[in-house]
């Protein structure tokens, strides 16, 4: 029974490779690496690697969470600003209200979970597009971030986290460095790798993973066979919020201060990284590894452009071009995967 | 448990032609393969698996279904026929727990059913295969097969989808139903329509369905593919399942059906046993005999009127 069908011959392997969602991102990453490494000595040095892995790591954590959400058929535009909100909560509570960094982080986590839960709840109850719902939360959070920060400090940033109790341990855990071959790498890189592995495992090897693909692929069909679609979606929004909390904490601990507009505009970068990684905008297809590679491409381009001494504005151009290429490639893949054969 | 025996009364209808069939199912199944599930098919006095008595459903001002009575028995195929908008889908949505009926009673194993969701019906062994929402195209055959009922391994936070077992089971099940699928890893979207329906039927059978409801499984298929699906329906019947088969097409229904429920604009035109109706009668009844002749007349060229020409 395990004998492969003769009709599989030839097309099988090629087809299977081609319909891997990550394929485009892997090719893209190789091209981008070759491009920058070929021109910049620093870029390909071990210090250079540590340098561009750093932005890739925090972006990657978010891109993975957003990828899961997008596979589940939803968007979250509030995720970027939420990294700012959690950071602000943490710094304000520990510098102005005497809480330890750990307690402040816990409170920020609760708030993040609440925001994720509300996003999810509104989306599943009202059946409005999540694009609109989270655009609403995005604007509201942005307003609160600015309003509260200004009211409390009279400025648009909060700082002084370094003096808070528990700062050193929290920093070592989330924003510290580790040494590898004499070079310091950010701990966030480990978090990123761990989260990518965990997300991949959940997606490919657990029941909720199967449900995520199903609710994104065809929600009605999934419900008809008993998949708890609402719970799955709400859990995905909450997962995204937890990722935002983690990234917000990492950044706050690293810089010890948070701008009131932190994270603004990042929401699209997460989505773009996930799309480059093979996620379909229509849901039901994608991978966590792909999103991570998408983030890696961003990290490389972000720092590579600086190493080459170019104007940072070129980064935006690069971003747009990558997005277009990736979406076109994904559409081809989808056609190929979905084409009905008789 | 009100085991009420059989509903008597021939299903009322405006139909004159063939006498509506009473409540004895004579066309019993040939040698039920391991007649597993409770009520044996064909036994005229056994409690039907499903029964509706004068069920009705309205949507706002629209009467989608009016006083429809039908039965589904183990090892039998009950065909539901009717034109577009006749209420076929509405009827099966009642059977499968999507809507409760607004009037009348719905009995499962002789007791009133109070389903609040399709999941409740599924738990009672009533599985529905919808034409459009049977499968998720971008997911592989084995993922689709176990969707919602994934086998797991391990416990606590390490509980995971037993992928190896899932793939093995799917291969075995498809093979035992005689379904020939190239590769269980391929996305369902790459299967043909008939293959997709077949996999959905195999899935329902595997998960211990006692009743299989199929909403127009053959309507989008060519002759050959439709034949393939009809063969799997026969397989399911021979395994002792009660099958509800919805179709527009009397030529698909007649060879496989044991009883036929005809719907017209939400009302029942009668439930007939196979012995009580010929294919010809079924066809003309379904299309509304007079309307069909009228149509034939309209479509004919300048031929002298009166010469009745059957185009079917
Ligand atoms: N949810 C609903 N809301 C309002 N009207 C409905 C609803 N569902 C069905 N109807 C109406 O009920 C009637 C019967 O519809 P139903 O879908 O049961 O027909 P059908 O026999 O399945 O037709 P088809 O062969 O086209 O699938 C139609 O007039 C339809 O417009
Ligand atoms: Mg219908």
């Amino acid at each position: 029974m395990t004998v492969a069908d003769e009709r599989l011959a030839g097309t099988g392997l090629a087809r299977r490779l081609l319909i891997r969602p990550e394929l485009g991102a892997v090719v893209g990453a190789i091209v981008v690496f070759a491009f920058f490494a070929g021109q910049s000595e620093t870029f390909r040095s071990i210090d250079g690697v540590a340098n561009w892995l750093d932005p890739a790591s925090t972006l990657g954590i978010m891109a993975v969470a957003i990828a899961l959400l997008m596979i589940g058929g939803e968007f979250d535009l509030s995720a970027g600003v939420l990294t700012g909100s959690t950071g602000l909560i943490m710094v304000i509570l520990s510098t102005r209200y005497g809480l330890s960094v750990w307690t402040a982080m816990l409170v920020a986590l609760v708030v993040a979970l609440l925001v994720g839960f509300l996003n999810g709840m509104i989306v599943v109850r009202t059946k409005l597009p999540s694009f609109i719902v989270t655009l609403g939360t995005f604007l509201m959070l942005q307003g609160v971030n600015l309003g509260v920060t200004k009211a409390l400090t009279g400025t648009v940033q909060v700082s002084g986290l370094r003096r808070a109790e528990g700062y050193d341990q929290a920093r070592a855990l989330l924003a510290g460095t580790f040494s590898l071959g004499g070079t310091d790498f950010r701990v966030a890189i480990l978090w990123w790798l761990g989260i990518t592995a965990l997300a991949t495992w959940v997606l490919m090897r657990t029941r909720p993973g199967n449900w995520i693909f199903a609710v994104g692929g065809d929600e009605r069909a999934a419900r008809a066979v008993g998949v708890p679609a609402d719970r799955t979606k709400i859990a995905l929004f909450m997962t995204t919020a937890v990722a935002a909390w983690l990234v917000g904490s990492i950044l706050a601990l690293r810089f010890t201060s948070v701008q009131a507009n932190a994270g603004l505009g990042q929401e699209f970068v997460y989505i773009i990284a996930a799309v480059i990684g093979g996620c379909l905008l229509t849901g039901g297809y994608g991978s966590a590894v792909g999103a991570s590679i998408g983030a890696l491409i961003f990290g490389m381009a972000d720092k590579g452009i600086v190493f080459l001494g170019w104007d940072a504005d070129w980064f935006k151009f690069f971003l747009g071009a990558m997005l277009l290429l990736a979406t076109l490639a994904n559409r081809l893949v989808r056609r190929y995967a979905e084409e009905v054969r008789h | 448990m009100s085991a009420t025996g059989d509903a008597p009364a021939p299903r009322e209808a405006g139909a004159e032609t063939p006498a509506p069939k009473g409540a004895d199912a004579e066309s019993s199944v040939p040698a039920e393969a391991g007649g597993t599930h409770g009520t044996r098919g064909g036994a005229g006095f056994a409690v039907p698996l499903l029964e509706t008595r004068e069920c009705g459903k309205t949507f706002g001002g629209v009467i989608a279904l009016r006083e429809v009575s039908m039965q589904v028995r183990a090892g039998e195929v009950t065909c539901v026929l009717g034109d577009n908008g006749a209420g076929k889908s509405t009827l099966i949505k009642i059977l499968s727990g999507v809507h409760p009926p607004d009037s009348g009673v719905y009995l499962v194993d002789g007791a009133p059913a109070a389903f609040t969701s399709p999941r409740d019906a599924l738990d009672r062994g009533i599985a529905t295969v919808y034409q459009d929402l049977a499968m998720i195209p971008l997911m592989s055959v084995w993922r689709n097969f176990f969707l919602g009922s994934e086998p797991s391994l391990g416990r606590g936070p390490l509980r995971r989808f037993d992928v190896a077992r899932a793939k093995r089971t799917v291969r075995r099940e498809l093979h035992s139903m005689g379904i020939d699928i190239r590769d269980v890893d391929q996305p369902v979207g790459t299967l043909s329509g008939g293959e997709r329906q077949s996999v959905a039927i195999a899935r329902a059978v595997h998960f211990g369905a006692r009743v299989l409801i199929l909403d127009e499984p053959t309507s989008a298929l060519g002759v050959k593919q439709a034949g393939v699906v009809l063969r799997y329906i026969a397989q399911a019947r021979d395994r002792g399942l009660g099958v509800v088969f919805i179709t527009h097409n009397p030529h698909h229904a007649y060879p496989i059906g044991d009883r036929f429920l005809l719907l017209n604009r939400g009302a029942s035109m009668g439930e007939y046993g196979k012995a009580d109706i010929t294919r010809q009668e079924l066809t003309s009844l379904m299309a509304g005999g007079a309307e069909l002749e009228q149509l034939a007349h309209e479509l004919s060229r300048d031929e002298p009127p009166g010469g009745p020409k059957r185009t079917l």
Side-chain angles (χ1 to χ4, degrees), chain B residues 59 64 83-90 216 248:
Chain B
F59 295 104
D83 231 329
N84 291 111
K88 305 183 295 295
S89 297
T90 307
E216 309 206 16
H248 281 299

Side-chain angles (χ1 to χ4, degrees), chain A residues 214-239:
Chain A
V215 296
D218 186 340
E219 190 177 339
R220 283 200 313 152
R223 276 182 206 280
V225 293
V227 170
D230 289 353
R231 263 198 291 146
T232 306
K233 290 201 166 180
I234 293 173
L236 284 173
F237 277 105
M238 292 175 77
T239 305

